[in-house]
Amino acid sequence: MSDHEYQPKSKAGKWFNDRLPLLTLGAHLTDYPTPKNLNYWWTFGGILTFCLITQIVTGIVLAMHYVAHADLAFGSVEHIMRNVNYGWLIRYIHSNGASMFFLAVYIHIFRSLFYGSYKSPREIIWILGLLIYLLMMAAAFLGYVLPWGQMSFWGATVITNLFSAIPLVGESITTWLWGAYSVDNPTLNRFFSLHYLFPFLILGLVVLHIWALHIPGNNNPVGIDIKKPSKDTVPFHPYITIKDAFALLMFMIIFAGFVFFSPNVLGHSDNYIPANPLVTPAHIVPEWYLLPFYAILRSVPDKLGGVILMFGAIFILFVLPWLDTSKVRSAVFRPIYRQFYWIFVIDVLMLGYMGAMPAEGIYLVLARVGTIYYFLHFLVVIPLVGFFEKTDPIPMSISEPVLSGGAEPSLAKKDNEKI
Amino acid sequence: MSKEEKNANRRDFLFTASYTVGAVGLGAVVWPLIDQMNPDKAQKALATTEVDISQIEPGKSITVLWRGKPVFLKRRTEEEIAEARAVRMDDLPDPQKDEERVKEGKDEWLVMLGVCTHLGCVPLKDKGDYNGWFCPCHGSHYDVSGRVRKGPAPTNMEIPKFEFVDNNTIKIG
């Protein structure tokens, strides 16, 4: 990288940069050599940054009108919807923005899983990303409690009660989380405080995530190490910025579609009923982005076991870089893993569907099958496939199959098909 | 040589002592920040509730709020008591006699927290496979004594501390 040689042109710029090298950072971000074959699955990093900023900006505005009190919260949200200028728009952007954020993050994660972006030397990027994902789930849950509707209240009750499954100290931990003997006003108050905090923690982790990314540089669809800068790379600006901007515009069309045409389709109508500690809604479900984990929780007929498996489903992702025994990153060159990858995608989607259905009969059976397969995928399939699979030959560089006609013509063809 | 060794030991002692004092100080500062989240005095002050039970007919129940949680007060019929006592202990995931869940001589009154021991939802009355309660959230079934019979709930519904102030009043807490 040519960062070290960067010199601002103006005298003032040089004076400033000698004292705080922000301009060097800017030049690094602009020139950052990026693989030239990045496809549209690589645009979700930028989209996610947009989502985070959108949530922070709309959230700060909503906090100017919202009241975090058990007696007033529900009314203050309706006040935002009816009285505050453009309050309906800002709240709908914020509530649908959470769903859009998760949609983008799931695509981003599954992109990593397909192209092996979590593998050496990118393990820390992967782990930082998972920490961001965990904080996102926490922030989304905390935020969902704030309107103090029936789903808010009972969602908070069920999720905080997960901690009561911990032997010995469980009850004390839930009481401590509540600040009362049930979900009550102190709970709402602290949830608001933490909901305001978490996005900034996420922002800090995003900086580390990008910093860690800029050490090895981007993975790419072919999944090979490339020389930087070289004929395999392009500068981040304008090549990637313009591609990211186009993808972001497409994404915003979908986002706006939800906000303006069906702002409540992803929510639950019960949350427009004020919280009532005496009545549990007949069918309580979490938001769609938590459904696969909810299905795993319910598939275990034991309280502690269900909680352990649910958290295990997330934490197993942290050790994925060490469970994967294959040295080949991209699934493009892994004919067996590629098939298991798609089975896994279907498994997660099925678990999500089961999480939305009542936990009985065939749904429960399928949820159990899905749960078992989820863990088999990570604990058995991934280690074994990496060991036994015969991978396709890998090109020496991104340009090779194109420029030299390919040392391996069959390979060049395969490449074109997939990318 | 021996002097250097001595100095090193003295320095080690100073390091250890400083870290220890620092850790104690840090703990002393962190504890208030953690403990402030526990229930405050106002929450603790709501610890008892008195309920008038004179209007409850046999076979009926009412629900009252105690410490933000629902409490079921059910006046059971003779048949229901008999049914609860006929259950074999082997059939219970959390074996407990019905006699242990009521006050002696006041067998018709079942007073318990209306909170599912799985994840805290409020079970629905007169539902489920055992003539008692059914939790809609994750499908736990409770019998007429509030004991778990089926589903993910690990224990029976909790009996809070309560007493009969007189024949018509129960004090919970």
Side-chain angles (χ1 to χ4, degrees), chain A residues 153-154 157-159 161-164 171-172 175-186 190 194 277-284 294 297-298 300-303 307 359-360, chain B residues 33-40 43-44 46-47 63-72 115-124 134-139 151-154 158:
Chain A
F153 184 90
W154 292 103
T157 299
V158 167
I159 300 292
N161 264 303
L162 293 177
F163 294 93
S164 73
E171 292 294 329
S172 318
T175 307
W176 177 74
L177 286 171
W178 290 334
Y181 301 100
S182 64
V183 173
D184 210 333
N185 190 50
R190 65 192 53 182
L194 294 173
L278 290 175
V279 182
T280 306
H283 187 91
I284 72 164
Y294 192 61
L297 169 76
R298 294 195 308 182
V300 186
D302 176 79
K303 183 171 168 179
V307 173
E360 55 197 31
Chain B
L33 292 173
I34 293 172
D35 192 41
Q36 54 83 23
M37 280 176 68
N38 275 317
D40 57 31
Q43 288 292 334
K44 286 178 181 161
L46 301 171
T63 306
V64 296
L65 211 54
W66 172 66
R67 284 178 157 188
K69 282 179 178 162
V71 175
F72 296 156
V115 175
C116 179
T117 54
H118 182 225
L119 294 174
C121 298
V122 180
L124 304 166
F134 171 72
C135 182
C137 291
H138 308 96
E158 199 185 321

Side-chain angles (χ1 to χ4, degrees), chain A residues 37-44 47 107 242-244 246-247:
Chain A
N37 60 340
L38 294 191
N39 56 33
Y40 274 105
W41 300 115
W42 259 265
T43 59
F44 284 86
I47 286 170
I107 295 174
I242 198 71
K243 187 164 185 162
D244 277 359
F246 178 72

Side-chain angles (χ1 to χ4, degrees), chain A residues 167-205:
Chain A
L168 302 176
V169 292
E171 292 294 329
S172 318
I173 289 176
T174 40
T175 307
W176 177 74
L177 286 171
W178 290 334
Y181 301 100
S182 64
V183 173
D184 210 333
N185 190 50
T187 323
L188 175 61
N189 234 309
R190 65 192 53 182
F191 276 21
F192 180 55
S193 167
L194 294 173
H195 183 67
Y196 209 115
L197 166 71
F198 278 24
F200 296 98
L201 296 182
I202 293 174
L203 188 63
L205 283 174

Side-chain angles (χ1 to χ4, degrees), chain A residues 208-228:
Chain A
L208 293 182
H209 190 63
I210 296 172
W211 186 1
L213 168 71
H214 280 234
I215 303 301
N218 288 71
N219 184 28
N220 63 77
V222 187
I224 54 170
D225 290 320
I226 50 170
K227 246 180 84 192
K228 289 165 297 220

Side-chain angles (χ1 to χ4, degrees), chain B residues 17-171:
Chain B
S18 310
Y19 286 138
T20 310
V21 173
V24 170
L26 193 68
V29 171
V30 166
W31 177 245
L33 292 173
I34 293 172
D35 192 41
Q36 54 83 23
M37 280 176 68
N38 275 317
D40 57 31
K41 291 190 181 68
Q43 288 292 334
K44 286 178 181 161
L46 301 171
T48 63
T49 302
E50 291 202 2
V51 190
D52 176 15
I53 54 169
S54 59
Q55 302 301 315
I56 307 171
E57 302 285 330
K60 298 288 178 198
S61 67
I62 62 165
T63 306
V64 296
L65 211 54
W66 172 66
R67 284 178 157 188
K69 282 179 178 162
V71 175
F72 296 156
L73 292 96
K74 186 175 169 80
R75 186 171 181 182
R76 302 183 297 176
T77 59
E78 290 298 326
E79 299 85 68
E80 285 171 330
I81 298 170
E83 185 190 330
R85 298 197 170 170
V87 177
R88 285 174 47 233
M89 286 298 116
D90 298 349
D91 294 340
L92 297 171
D94 178 20
Q96 193 180 22
K97 283 187 179 154
D98 183 62
E99 288 86 338
E100 295 165 28
R101 296 175 59 77
V102 292
K103 294 266 189 258
E104 214 182 327
K106 299 276 189 186
D107 294 0
E108 59 178 356
W109 289 103
L110 179 65
V111 178
M112 66 179 178
L113 281 186
V115 175
C116 179
T117 54
H118 182 225
L119 294 174
C121 298
V122 180
L124 304 166
K125 65 178 173 184
D126 304 327
K127 287 244 165 64
D129 300 349
Y130 298 91
N131 209 9
W133 287 266
F134 171 72
C135 182
C137 291
H138 308 96
S140 293
H141 298 253
Y142 295 89
D143 66 13
V144 72
S145 186
R147 292 172 297 196
V148 65
R149 302 298 293 272
K150 204 165 91 177
T155 56
N156 305 329
M157 277 195 267
E158 199 185 321
I159 306 292
K161 201 171 143 240
F162 73 96
E163 59 186 58
F164 287 85
V165 179
D166 53 51
N167 274 339
N168 288 331
T169 315
I170 288 177
K171 189 172 96 177

